Amino acid sequence: MLAIKGLEVRYGAITAVRGVDLEIRKGEIVALLGANGAGKSTIARSIAGLLPFQGEISFEGEKLTPGAAEKNLRRGIALVPEGRGILARMTVYENLLMGIYTRRDKSAAMADVEKMLERFPILGKRRDGLASLLSGGEQQMLAIGRALLSKPKLLLLDEPSLGLAPLMTASLFQMIAQFRDEGLTVLLVEQKARQTLKIVDRAYLLETGRVVTSGSAEALINDPTLSEAFLGGG
Ligand code: ATP
């Protein structure tokens, strides 16, 4: 579904991503792991069309134009950004409505908003409340619900567990694992390696902009060369 070849991304003089190759097949949950600053967000943002890049990113066999965020969204790539990107001064309902702006089938889309409020009852209860009043975990659900409303084929989740309590993180990961049953393909950017490897099919480990290792979740979790420091991070 997604194929990245020789991806390079620079911020001025800083090269954040250096020659990354990566593949995601339809129906897979793939993780991008690595420490702070390894380049994970930069890759997710490049796929979403938010950054200029060199190299090649193909989605369903077609090359993506760097920076074509709205086009990519219409093609079926949705990003839940780090920090969630919730519109704090809008209500929960209004935030969800933002998710359907690329949908042509507006009446079906409006019905999907209602279904989303049922799927996440906590959002349903707070429907007309300000998004800023939600807890971190609830805001993450709102951000994911909003992304799902664009009916993506590929969902990019950038550090969804950031700042969440352990219990909330566990239930969030459980929810992500269930996306597989809905036929969704997911790229999950995370620092919590051990927890992430429990729910994904495959993972890539990044260090200073390069892929240092990749493989099935099972192989990585049992890899004796991967340090406790890396896997111990959750
Ligand atoms: P994090 O968990 O902190 O998001 P990450 O692995 O996602 O880490 P990136 O955010 O992709 O890493 O950052 C990769 C490198 O690019 C870092 O060295 C970072 O300082 C740099 N960088 C990221 N965004 C910018 C920017 N807007 N301007 C300049 N440098 C940036």
Side-chain angles (χ1 to χ4, degrees):
M1 170 174 271
L2 187 90
I4 298 182
K5 279 186 201 137
L7 182 68
E8 253 192 70
V9 190
R10 293 194 194 98
Y11 298 103
I14 299 169
T15 305
V17 173
R18 309 156 185 265
V20 163
D21 296 338
L22 183 151
E23 223 180 316
I24 305 176
R25 295 185 278 269
K26 192 172 176 337
E28 275 189 317
I29 305 186
V30 172
L32 212 49
L33 301 171
N36 239 337
K40 309 179 299 296
S41 298
T42 301
I43 294 176
R45 289 165 55 78
S46 303
I47 300 168
L50 293 169
L51 290 174
F53 62 79
Q54 288 181 311
E56 227 179 85
I57 305 180
S58 307
F59 179 66
E60 295 187 311
E62 276 184 56
K63 276 190 204 169
L64 299 181
T65 311
E70 183 164 341
K71 202 168 159 195
N72 291 0
L73 183 60
R74 288 183 193 278
R75 281 182 168 175
I77 301 174
L79 169 72
V80 178
E82 189 175 337
R84 300 160 195 140
I86 290 301
L87 300 161
R89 289 188 198 168
M90 288 193 175
T91 65
V92 166
Y93 183 70
E94 287 164 343
N95 269 277
L96 288 177
L97 283 185
M98 301 290 294
I100 64 167
Y101 92 100
T102 54
R103 296 268 302 266
R104 296 217 183 102
D105 52 339
K106 282 292 185 257
S107 60
M110 291 298 284
D112 286 346
V113 173
E114 297 303 325
K115 279 188 219 150
M116 203 55 79
L117 289 164
E118 283 166 26
R119 176 172 179 174
F120 299 114
I122 189 73
L123 299 183
K125 259 190 238 164
R126 306 279 181 90
R127 175 191 179 115
D128 298 315
L130 286 182
S132 58
L133 298 178
L134 298 178
S135 72
E138 291 160 3
Q139 287 191 10
Q140 190 61 55
M141 295 208 173
L142 179 57
I144 292 174
R146 184 178 60 185
L148 291 176
L149 281 167
S150 68
K151 281 204 164 172
K153 295 173 184 166
L154 174 64
L155 182 65
L156 310 169
L157 297 171
D158 194 352
E159 283 200 48
S161 76
L162 199 69
L164 300 189
L167 261 180
M168 194 65 229
T169 301
S171 76
L172 173 78
F173 275 34
Q174 212 171 29
M175 184 176 100
I176 296 168
Q178 283 165 7
F179 289 158
R180 191 188 281 113
D181 307 331
E182 297 172 27
L184 203 60
T185 307
V186 180
L187 179 67
L188 174 58
V189 168
E190 264 298 338
Q191 287 196 41
K192 299 190 174 97
R194 197 181 287 280
Q195 262 175 294
T196 301
L197 288 172
K198 283 187 189 146
I199 62 156
V200 302
D201 299 299
R202 290 188 303 117
Y204 292 81
L205 172 59
L206 280 179
E207 241 174 63
T208 56
R210 289 195 175 89
V211 174
V212 288
T213 184
S214 64
S216 73
E218 206 189 341
L220 290 177
I221 214 160
N222 294 315
D223 186 338
T225 65
L226 288 183
S227 68
E228 259 312 296
F230 163 67
L231 287 171

